[in-house]
Amino acid sequence: MNRKISRIGLVLCLGCFLFSCRAKKTVVVKRPKTNTEKTVNKETEKTSENSTKVYANATEKYIDVYKEIAQQEMNLYGIPASITLAQGILESGSGNGRLSVKANNHFGIKCHGWTGGKIYHDDDKAQECFRKYKDAKYSFRDHSLFLKDRKRYAKLFRLKKDDYKGWARELRAAGYATDKKYPQKLISIIERYKLYKLDKAVLGDSYVEYEEPTSTERVTYTVLKGDTLYSISKKYNITVKDLQKLNGLNNTALSVGQVLVVKP
């Protein structure tokens, strides 16, 4: 009898033990984020914010933003990227003009039967109609089509694609702009920012290497009555000391008819 009771007690104890094991819940304790981890995240964000490109001026930023679009247009329509960008810079004020800001119109293209969005702006006349685009890239495409589809610009496409000077002059001759100095302005922008390199990247081996302009011409001046070293130095934007050095002068004495080198 006692053995039987002992067995029953043993079975009951074993059953209680197994039940208690099943009833236990696993508790997962989350490790709180440390202050160190939070600090690292903030520093990463700060670094990301400070990685913004810095440009010397608005024109450099404009070139960086739109150069690939200009090169794409060159590939598709044969208009030098240098010319497209220079025109965009000049016409839009490096992207800061009213038409470019309000209408994404970077080339001052007027409506001319345009059925899309419009904006009115004072130009040759008060409140003229200009085209309005949803995105600046459409302005670049419309500029390409504007030149390609009009007969008066046909001569442009007979010029070499690396001849940006020829393109600048022919644009003016074809009536794109009324400003007599328009070609010089485009050429100046292209050479200042070396935009011809964008043409070279597109043309590859067929590009004719552009040579940086250098002045090797020696300039002289013949002394007239009343001239002094000081007056001559002012006229040619050179110091008296440099003028003396160029001509091997030990003093400021001059004689009428004397020939001076004013630019080596």
Side-chain angles (χ1 to χ4, degrees), residues 15 22 34 70 78 108 111 121 141 176 178 218 235 237:
R22 286 181 181 179
T34 64
C111 289
H121 179 75
R141 174 57 50 84
Y176 189 93
T178 55
R218 178 175 167 173
K235 185 175 182 178
N237 194 29

Side-chain angles (χ1 to χ4, degrees), residues 28-82:
V28 177
V29 179
K30 290 185 178 181
R31 186 172 61 88
K33 191 179 284 187
T34 64
N35 290 333
T36 304
E37 288 174 328
K38 290 180 181 178
T39 304
V40 170
N41 289 337
K42 286 181 179 179
E43 287 298 323
T44 304
E45 291 173 5
K46 186 183 289 186
T47 304
S48 178
E49 289 173 3
N50 292 339
S51 63
T52 307
K53 280 189 177 181
V54 178
Y55 301 94
N57 53 50
T59 302
E60 284 192 3
K61 181 179 179 181
Y62 187 93
I63 293 167
D64 194 38
V65 172
Y66 297 110
K67 62 185 180 184
E68 290 182 5
I69 295 176
Q71 288 177 308
Q72 183 181 11
E73 294 303 306
M74 183 177 180
N75 270 318
L76 292 172
Y77 297 96
I79 302 166
S82 60

Side-chain angles (χ1 to χ4, degrees), residues 147 151-156 168-177:
L147 296 180
K151 289 182 179 179
R152 64 175 177 169
Y153 298 117
K155 286 185 179 179
L156 286 169
R169 295 187 187 106
E170 185 55 38
L171 276 168
R172 167 72 176 81
Y176 189 93

